[in-house]
Amino acid sequence: MKPIDNRYERQTALAEIGTGGQARLAQSRALIVGLGGLGCPVATYLAAAGIGSLRLVDDDTVSTANLQRQVLYAEAEVGAPKTLCAARRLRDLRADLNVEACQERLTAANADRLVEGCDLVLDGTDNVHSRYIIDGTCARARVPFIYGAVRGFEGQVSVFHVGDRPRAYRELYPPEEGWADVPADLRVVGPVTAVVGGVQASEALKVLLRFGQPLTGRLWTIDLRTMQTNLLNF
């Protein structure tokens, strides 16, 4: 006798999701830009939740310094492309998941192609330049953009291009002269990426299944040193 598939019963029991929401999730495709500290938990939780397709974009390879926070990778994979390693682990988690591994860096030249056909975009990058590209591309395509960023013990999340009065990343962080030359601050404790990536995945479910109050026009922040959180309107 074939065992009963109870993989999603804990979430379909919730009124906000149900079997109808689970079916919609199975028809959804998300683009994850960057498979680092944020992209790893985002991809893992969306795959586990039952999303139908994930398009993974990153041109980097696994390094030993990644393993402190990038939990999709193993020591034996150092030097291998992140997209291929991540796709393999995610398929091990869920055999019916459709994974597109795009071993390339998102640029102004390829962003429209990468966003096309996706229901939302999740930011797993570590630089402002890529976020402005994502923001502009999502604005043109009218695709939701779920932003996340971490530094040290701190993190933040917001949602753009959603709702009757969609907001943009540029409204939260207006471009300034010299912004592209500011180096990314790569210092971070591993657990903060899990916390922020988990919140991004939760926001993705809210947007895709249309429940709750997504972080549109609001910036959520957390400091793991004190566990202080804030919701800032903008």
Side-chain angles (χ1 to χ4, degrees), residues 113-132:
R113 170 175 56 83
L114 293 171
V115 170
E116 184 178 5
C118 294
D119 297 293
L120 52 74
V121 178
L122 294 114
D123 171 28
T125 67
D126 59 10
N127 66 90
V128 175
H129 180 67
S130 295
R131 291 177 184 135
Y132 281 121

Side-chain angles (χ1 to χ4, degrees), residues 86-156:
R88 182 166 55 246
R89 287 288 300 276
L90 294 169
R91 291 187 185 111
D92 286 344
L93 174 64
R94 227 189 80 217
D96 66 338
L97 176 67
N98 178 37
V99 185
E100 302 171 66
C102 303
Q103 185 68 19
E104 56 187 306
R105 186 178 185 85
L106 180 133
T107 66
N110 65 15
D112 289 315
R113 170 175 56 83
L114 293 171
V115 170
E116 184 178 5
C118 294
D119 297 293
L120 52 74
V121 178
L122 294 114
D123 171 28
T125 67
D126 59 10
N127 66 90
V128 175
H129 180 67
S130 295
R131 291 177 184 135
Y132 281 121
I133 294 174
I134 296 170
D135 189 49
T137 306
C138 287
R140 291 192 300 273
R142 298 184 179 180
V143 171
F145 167 26
I146 299 179
Y147 154 74
V150 294
R151 181 182 64 182
F153 296 88
E154 303 173 9
Q156 55 185 243

